[in-house]
Amino acid sequence: MRTFLGGSGQEGEESIGGGQALEIGVFRENAAAFVEDAVGRAARAHQPAQAAAVDSRAACVYLGGLMRILVIGGGGREHALVWKLRQGPRVEKIWCAPGNGGISQDAECVSAGMKDVAGLATLAEQVGADLTVVGPELPLVEGIADEFARRGRAIVGPSKQAARLEGSKVFAKEFLARHDIPTAALYGVYDSPGDAYSALCAVDWPVVVKADGLCAGKGVLVTSSPDEATAFLERLMEQKELGEGGSRVLMEEALEGEELSYIVLTDGRDVLPLPPTRDHKRVFDGNQGPNTGGMGTYSMDGLISAELENAILERIVRPAIAGMVAEGAPYRGFLYFGLMLTRNGPKVLEFNCRLGDPEAQAILVRADFDLAEVLHAAATEGLGGKALAWKEGASACVVMASAGYPGEIEAGKRIDGLAEASEVNDVVVFHAGTKREADIYYTSSGRVLGLTATGASLEQALTKCYEAAGKIRFEGAHYRKDIGAVAAGKRSAAGG
Ligand SMILES: Nc1ncnc2c1ncn2[C@@H]1O[C@H](COP(=O)(O)OP(=O)(O)O)[C@@H](O)[C@H]1O
Ligand SMILES: [Mg+2]
């Protein structure tokens, strides 16, 4: 954050939108009021004094006040982050790298490579970002947080060491064992295809085969068929179909139960839980068809009992956060626990070092607090004393995808009905894969939009999502009609 001392930034704030600019004006007028306590805050701030020197805008110094934010990523999750962040009264301007067509209405989009952590850090310097929020896992696993720390820039996201919880499933599994956190029994870790094939003779069926490294959601197979397991190992380890991520695998026990996504925000010590969510990975209704990045999600009060939430926090979340501290790699940022709720209690299936997508969309529409302020605290002085407030009731996100997704798709289809969809009460249309030309939007990837709504009940939230979905048209558009249907007590939430 910075306070303007007798000058204003060179760049305008037009792209933030009229309402926001008005509030910025108010804050500019009141800027002097921030100065007094800002001096004290600056002393505590994590950004070293030199941070002001690398800021190209000489009129500004880091003392607290207005905030410039860079969001990294370009999907529905990042659109939800930008949408919520810009509601913060102290937010001056948001950039998004690379962003997408829809995001470009709410933030200035800048093209960027997700693996180029030095380039992303330079971008943060160039735009004078007081806070950077990372959406996807790739830059985190590549060490973006370390690069920002070296340059004295605030960032929400774990260090490279800490991001191994997602970047290496073997590391995560061994970490869970070291800290006695409930998870599926490990059969073994294999570096050579020969060892992996032989191990299949000794495992219980069904078995779970997992590639160690990042595989964009394609590196896990649960199967009762030795032939299928063998073929999967061959594709992973010999043909390297999913890249280096598949050259090492682990095999573990198959757990039974319902899955739950449990995400927390942590500064390494304090932990703030977000509403738990359920996702829908398969492309078609009734959990049929291939896996996707996620076709929809929901959250609702009472989704899990207080007793279960307590067990998740005490037996899983706190030991994990403390375990990372004990191993010298404190975890900061969003930490996603993929859980299986088994008869013997919740067990960890995996970690993600970020918000899920589309979980973030359903979570952030319920956020009733200043996300910019909370994330800035997470990245700097810490979360002590902060609490998160959530809209009561429920929320849901229904993903609309391109024909062929999750396989090959043809981009560039014109999207109609966006304005009508966003007029549906309590609906926010998040863009996952669109590009904008003048005021016309076109599809640009597999997942295109996330129709997201809040409601007093899950049923109400879903009704609004589907009403909005019904107003959108693009060639080949498809979406699941049964998001949250089981929980909402209906066979088909869309009535279809
Ligand atoms: N031990 C397990 N038992 C049963 N199902 C599992 C197990 N591990 C993973 N799965 C299933 O496979 C999916 C993907 O596995 P996960 O560990 O979440 O990896 P990723 O999301 O990186 O592909 C899970 O959402 C779950 O449905
Ligand atoms: Mg997963």
Side-chain angles (χ1 to χ4, degrees):
M1 288 192 261
R2 65 164 59 74
T3 297
F4 287 84
L5 294 178
S8 67
Q10 282 147 18
E11 298 92 339
E13 295 81 37
E14 308 76 57
S15 61
I16 283 287
Q20 192 75 18
L22 193 70
E23 284 190 297
I24 287 165
V26 173
F27 274 90
R28 272 196 203 292
E29 268 174 44
N30 292 339
F34 288 114
V35 176
E36 217 175 335
D37 68 314
V39 177
R41 244 180 300 158
R44 295 197 311 266
H46 286 213
Q47 296 99 338
Q50 307 91 280
V54 296
D55 191 329
S56 56
R57 301 173 318 146
C60 311
V61 288
Y62 264 95
L63 288 175
L66 298 179
M67 221 194 288
R68 306 185 131 216
I69 303 177
L70 172 63
V71 172
I72 293 175
R77 166 182 53 209
E78 289 74 24
H79 195 184
L81 279 165
V82 166
W83 171 85
K84 188 65 208 174
L85 284 166
R86 63 173 284 202
Q87 294 170 16
R90 290 191 182 197
V91 175
E92 180 194 1
K93 179 162 175 174
I94 303 180
W95 286 260
C96 190
N100 64 38
I103 293 174
S104 74
Q105 281 213 318
D106 297 331
E108 184 174 329
C109 294
V110 188
S111 67
M114 289 299 98
K115 236 181 149 167
D116 178 13
V117 298
L120 291 165
T122 300
L123 174 63
E125 287 175 353
Q126 282 167 350
V127 303
D130 305 308
L131 175 68
T132 296
V133 183
V134 186
E137 62 276 21
L138 187 59
L140 292 164
V141 170
E142 293 290 325
I144 191 171
D146 309 67
E147 183 67 21
F148 273 60
R150 271 194 289 280
R151 302 195 195 190
R153 291 261 153 198
I155 189 164
V156 179
S159 68
K160 186 172 186 164
Q161 288 277 317
R164 282 182 302 165
L165 284 178
E166 174 164 6
S168 167
K169 285 198 184 332
V170 172
F171 171 81
K173 201 75 199 168
E174 291 171 348
F175 171 83
L176 289 164
R178 282 196 293 277
H179 298 281
D180 211 12
I181 298 171
T183 185
L186 177 67
Y187 297 140
V189 176
Y190 312 96
D191 287 294
S192 81
D195 289 349
Y197 298 135
S198 331
L200 290 177
C201 305
V203 300
D204 286 338
W205 299 87
V207 71
V208 184
V209 182
K210 295 189 173 189
D212 181 37
L214 295 183
C215 287
K218 298 196 170 100
V220 172
L221 177 74
V222 185
T223 183
S224 296
S225 148
D227 286 347
E228 221 175 85
T230 306
F232 186 64
L233 287 169
E234 193 184 329
R235 295 207 323 267
L236 281 182
M237 303 186 84
E238 303 207 64
Q239 289 155 17
K240 301 262 164 83
E241 257 180 39
L242 300 177
E244 276 314 301
S247 51
R248 180 153 81 140
V249 302
L250 66 81
M251 291 189 213
E252 68 180 25
E253 167 200 16
L255 297 174
E256 280 177 43
E258 284 196 333
E259 287 183 51
L260 184 77
S261 306
Y262 196 86
I263 308 177
V264 303
L265 174 65
T266 178
D267 58 11
R269 191 191 55 220
D270 287 302
V271 172
L272 297 174
L274 314 187
T277 52
R278 286 234 154 86
D279 69 2
H280 298 66
K281 285 282 179 215
R282 303 299 189 104
V283 69
F284 300 129
D285 286 10
N287 295 325
Q288 302 297 307
N291 262 320
T292 68
M295 294 298 289
T297 188
Y298 66 89
S299 86
M300 63 177 184
D301 291 342
L303 178 60
I304 58 172
S305 68
E307 191 190 357
L308 174 57
E309 181 144 27
N310 199 45
I312 292 170
L313 283 167
E314 295 312 317
R315 287 164 49 194
I316 293 174
V317 175
R318 292 195 202 290
I321 302 299
M324 291 304 281
V325 172
E327 298 197 6
Y331 190 99
R332 297 192 187 89
F334 291 104
L335 182 55
Y336 174 130
F337 297 79
L339 304 177
M340 188 72 94
L341 307 180
T342 75
R343 269 190 310 169
N344 302 318
K347 297 190 178 185
V348 176
L349 294 178
E350 67 155 347
F351 294 103
N352 292 326
C353 60
R354 51 177 165 96
L355 285 167
D357 183 341
E359 287 89 339
Q361 291 89 310
I363 289 170
L364 291 170
V365 288
R366 291 186 68 188
D368 205 0
F369 56 89
D370 183 345
L371 183 66
E373 195 214 313
V374 168
L375 292 187
H376 190 268
T380 57
E381 77 261 19
L383 291 167
K386 293 260 184 295
L388 306 182
W390 304 98
K391 277 189 194 148
E392 275 179 29
S395 63
C397 173
V398 173
V399 171
M400 288 186 90
S402 299
Y405 178 74
E408 282 207 4
I409 63 117
E410 202 180 296
K413 309 292 181 198
R414 182 192 159 115
I415 308 170
D416 286 304
L418 286 165
E420 293 92 312
S422 47
E423 273 161 22
V424 178
N425 254 352
D426 303 319
V427 164
V428 192
V429 180
F430 291 124
H431 290 230
T434 68
K435 65 175 198 272
R436 180 160 68 112
E437 279 168 26
D439 280 333
I440 309 213
Y441 290 88
Y442 298 88
T443 63
S444 66
S445 65
R447 290 192 291 175
V448 177
L449 300 168
L451 291 324
T452 311
T454 50
S457 66
L458 177 58
E459 206 175 324
Q460 284 178 25
L462 287 165
T463 302
K464 294 172 198 173
C465 291
Y466 283 115
E467 188 185 337
K471 297 189 186 288
I472 304 240
R473 295 169 304 281
F474 59 88
E475 190 189 318
H478 64 97
Y479 56 92
R480 278 183 62 161
K481 312 284 191 300
D482 65 345
I483 301 302
V486 175
K490 300 166 75 180
R491 270 194 36 245
S492 167

